Amino acid sequence: MRPFAYVKPADVAEAVQAVATEPGAKFLGGGTNLVDLMREGIERPHTVVDVTGLPLDEVHELPGGGLRIGALVRNSVLAAHPRVRTSYPVLSQAILAGASAQLRNMATVGGNLLQRTRCPYFYDLAAACNKREPGAGCDAIGGFTRSHAILGVSDSCIATHPSDMCVALAALDAVVEVRSVRGTRRIPLVDFHVLPGDTPHVETTLAADELITAVELPPSPAPSRYRKVRDRASYAFALVSVAAALEVRDGTVAAVRLALGGVAPKPWRAREAERLLLGGPATEEAFRQAADAELAPATARPGNAFKSGLARATITATLRELIIEGEAA
Amino acid sequence: MRVNGTDEKLDVEPWVSLLDALRERLGVTGPKKGCDQGACGACTVLADGVRINACLALAVQYADKEITTIEGVTPHPLQEAFVRHDGFQCGYCTSGQICSAIGMLNEAEDPAALTDAEIRERMSGNLCRCGAYNGIVEAIKEVAR
Ligand SMILES: Cc1cc2nc3c(=O)[nH]c(=O)nc-3n(C[C@H](O)[C@H](O)[C@H](O)COP(=O)(O)OP(=O)(O)OC[C@H]3O[C@@H](n4cnc5c(N)ncnc54)[C@H](O)[C@@H]3O)c2cc1C
Ligand code: SF4
Ligand code: FES
Ligand code: FES
């Protein structure tokens, strides 16, 4: 690994100051992504600012019923939190569907938001990759694309955002709170990550010197659930995943939220499908039509053309499960 | 750092992983280097009782933690159970499997009630190239009950 300086600030003001005065600095959470990328030579910070000593590791109830999650809460702790399990099951299930128990014990909420793509060409220093090296080209296009995106892609990059947790957060209307020497900002999670366009190295609206301090959830929606499809039963990234919340009254969709993982360069809120479903009949036929409309703009390649059908089936199955769950309750 | 009950004075560069610090600097070779990418679990150790992948941990980040490796838990009922149930062949993954299982049993609300499927899911971060999974599950189940 390339040598770097290491600092461990004790408070938030000191942490943001450390990065503001050091352009080549990066924050370090659990290290499960950054340490890997530094070892591969893909990330090369001059200074690593370890934020795990900051007092941002608690989950608080918000007045009005929401939840405030500190950026340093470990993924395993969040998934096991009683309020998350009962009020936001989609979030708990999404986290538990990702990585392994050891990694979830290490990984932080802030680090999970900023984890980088698992595109194999991004990891392969011998391959051309616009994300790693702007302007170099993209070896994935025309290459092996089983893990790649079909929605929101560009001619520069077709990589997916790999997080499970973020798909649930997109469905839950989460808000990310960030801090820098300039002050505090709040960014809706759906606007936090950006599409590649012709600048795929730009992945979020976060500035380099901004520290994620918390994620806030509004009061919990209708019953919710996460479903992930992958190449093996556990411990693999999503081919397709669905985070959904659904409320049905008298056979009609009274409320619905839908987000997709594994199909886009960012956690994909399925607004078109939601629009079509809301107020309509809660039938499998309606679910399929809404899924098709959402997936209509897909740009498939030979290696990932299967994802449209898989996404449609997974959306339909998840909504069906929520109806069965609602009837049982 | 406290390693297996002993205070160790370590002078390592910030880019040294916990795994390399244990193996190369302290001669604690129970934790194994399988992938060095967080993908196999052979390097699993306990930090204050919580299972982690030592290959993705920077040693400096764990300076004030109590690290426990397979050396620190020996003798453990899981070791005997792994022998009885053929929970290994070559043994390369075993120290990680056992540390992971100890952490897993701490995490579970009711370890005795875990089904085979739940044990497999909770242990999915530990790969075994020899495919000794059936024996591993049997061994963990026996100790959990
Ligand atoms: C083998 C393997 C399998 C995995 N499988 C899955 C999976 O199936 N699903 C899934 O969702 N994930 C998976 N992951 C990824 C894992 O979830 C992420 O690595 C983890 O969430 C990153 O969190 P961290 O705290 O370790 O981040 P770090 O590695 O510490 O940091 C990641 C990035 O975030 C930045 N950062 C960290 N904290 C902050 C902060 N507070 N403010 C600003 N910037 C910050 C860092 O500078 C860095 O750029 C897997 C990882 C591995 C190694
Ligand atoms: S898809 Fe994106 S990340 Fe993958 S090689 Fe192309 S530019 Fe790089
Ligand atoms: S060596 Fe750490 S997970 Fe493989
Ligand atoms: S016993 Fe050989 S890898 Fe598990």
Side-chain angles (χ1 to χ4, degrees):
Chain A
M1 222 181 287
R2 208 172 94 144
F4 54 81
Y6 172 86
V7 291
K8 189 169 183 177
D11 62 50
V12 171
E14 207 186 311
V16 296
Q17 191 60 46
V19 161
T21 51
E22 181 61 64
K26 260 193 134 24
F27 295 117
L28 176 70
T32 60
N33 193 220
L34 186 57
V35 171
D36 191 26
L37 292 171
M38 288 194 296
R39 188 172 285 143
E40 299 291 335
I42 297 164
E43 297 269 17
R44 300 167 188 199
H46 297 290
T47 301
V48 163
V49 180
D50 181 355
V51 294
T52 58
L54 304 182
L56 301 173
D57 58 352
E58 282 177 20
V59 181
H60 293 290
E61 307 261 347
L62 288 173
L67 221 50
R68 180 180 168 88
I69 303 159
L72 287 157
V73 173
R74 304 287 169 163
N75 286 188
S76 52
V77 171
L78 184 58
H81 192 276
R83 263 302 301 283
V84 176
R85 280 166 59 173
T86 51
S87 305
Y88 308 91
V90 64
L91 178 57
S92 183
Q93 291 165 10
I95 294 170
L96 293 177
S100 68
Q102 289 95 316
L103 290 163
R104 296 191 295 267
N105 283 338
M106 301 171 80
T108 63
V109 167
N112 193 317
L113 250 51
L114 289 175
Q115 62 172 297
R116 305 202 66 192
T117 186
R118 293 280 161 171
C119 169
Y121 302 96
F122 172 73
Y123 265 83
D124 177 2
L125 288 176
C129 171
N130 287 323
K131 193 185 273 301
R132 187 167 22 80
E133 202 188 325
C138 169
D139 275 353
I141 296 175
F144 186 71
T145 54
R146 185 169 178 80
S147 65
H148 290 81
I150 54 173
L151 292 170
V153 295
S154 72
D155 292 337
S156 299
C157 180
I158 57 169
T160 52
H161 190 269
S163 169
D164 290 295
M165 184 187 84
C166 290
V167 181
L169 292 179
L172 290 170
D173 284 326
V175 175
V176 185
E177 186 190 271
V178 307
R179 200 39 201 277
S180 71
V181 286
R182 297 178 300 283
T184 301
R185 278 201 305 145
R186 295 165 57 80
I187 312 166
L189 185 107
V190 289
D191 300 329
F192 184 81
H193 301 94
V194 296
L195 293 178
D198 50 17
T199 53
H201 58 289
V202 180
E203 295 170 354
T204 66
T205 48
L206 193 73
D209 65 347
E210 282 178 318
L211 173 76
I212 301 172
T213 47
V215 171
E216 289 190 358
L217 301 179
S220 72
S224 64
R225 154 187 292 272
Y226 191 71
R227 189 165 170 142
K228 177 175 178 180
V229 184
R230 45 196 152 174
D231 273 329
R232 56 181 190 223
S234 183
Y235 202 15
F237 288 93
L239 290 171
V240 166
S241 70
V242 173
L246 179 69
E247 197 185 326
V248 177
R249 262 185 247 129
D250 306 323
T252 300
V253 175
V256 61
R257 289 129 175 267
L258 203 57
L260 309 178
V263 294
K266 60 181 275 186
W268 191 263
R269 183 75 183 257
R271 300 272 187 208
E272 178 61 11
E274 288 179 4
R275 193 181 63 77
L276 289 170
L277 286 168
L278 193 65
T283 60
E284 295 231 353
E285 186 47 33
F287 298 162
R288 267 194 295 272
Q289 279 173 11
D292 281 339
E294 188 68 41
L295 294 157
T299 311
R301 288 159 218 280
N304 64 8
F306 71 93
K307 284 193 177 182
S308 283
L310 186 59
R312 188 218 288 136
T314 312
I315 291 169
T316 310
T318 312
L319 294 173
R320 183 200 310 134
E321 285 168 349
L322 280 167
I323 289 192
I324 295 169
E325 192 180 310
E327 280 166 356
Chain B
M1 192 185 292
R2 226 177 138 68
V3 179
N4 296 328
T6 310
D7 284 320
E8 301 280 2
K9 262 223 159 350
L10 257 173
D11 194 10
V12 295
E13 297 79 17
W15 49 91
V16 173
S17 72
L18 176 60
L19 180 61
D20 285 342
L22 290 168
R23 291 181 55 86
E24 311 296 334
R25 311 277 172 118
L26 294 174
V28 178
T29 55
K32 299 288 183 263
K33 190 181 281 188
C35 63
D36 221 17
Q37 301 180 333
C40 75
C43 65
T44 304
V45 301
L46 302 164
D48 291 347
V50 174
R51 53 178 168 160
I52 60 163
N53 295 128
C55 68
L56 291 185
L58 295 180
V60 278
Q61 277 199 295
Y62 290 79
D64 53 355
K65 298 268 194 255
E66 166 104 45
I67 304 297
T68 308
T69 69
I70 189 71
E71 286 91 341
V73 302
T74 305
H76 193 280
L78 275 166
Q79 292 171 313
E80 300 244 337
F82 266 62
V83 173
R84 249 194 320 279
H85 293 281
D86 285 334
F88 57 87
Q89 284 179 34
C90 76
Y92 198 79
C93 70
T94 313
S95 55
Q97 297 279 2
I98 291 178
C99 286
S100 183
I102 293 170
M104 187 273 278
L105 294 173
N106 288 340
E107 288 160 14
E109 273 160 37
D110 184 2
L114 291 174
T115 63
D116 284 17
E118 282 166 340
I119 293 175
R120 282 178 191 273
E121 170 58 34
R122 286 167 183 261
M123 290 295 294
S124 69
N126 292 83
L127 306 187
C128 174
R129 283 300 245 188
C130 300
Y133 295 110
N134 291 339
I136 293 170
V137 172
E138 286 308 312
I140 294 174
K141 208 161 58 178
E142 180 185 297
V143 173
R145 302 233 152 113

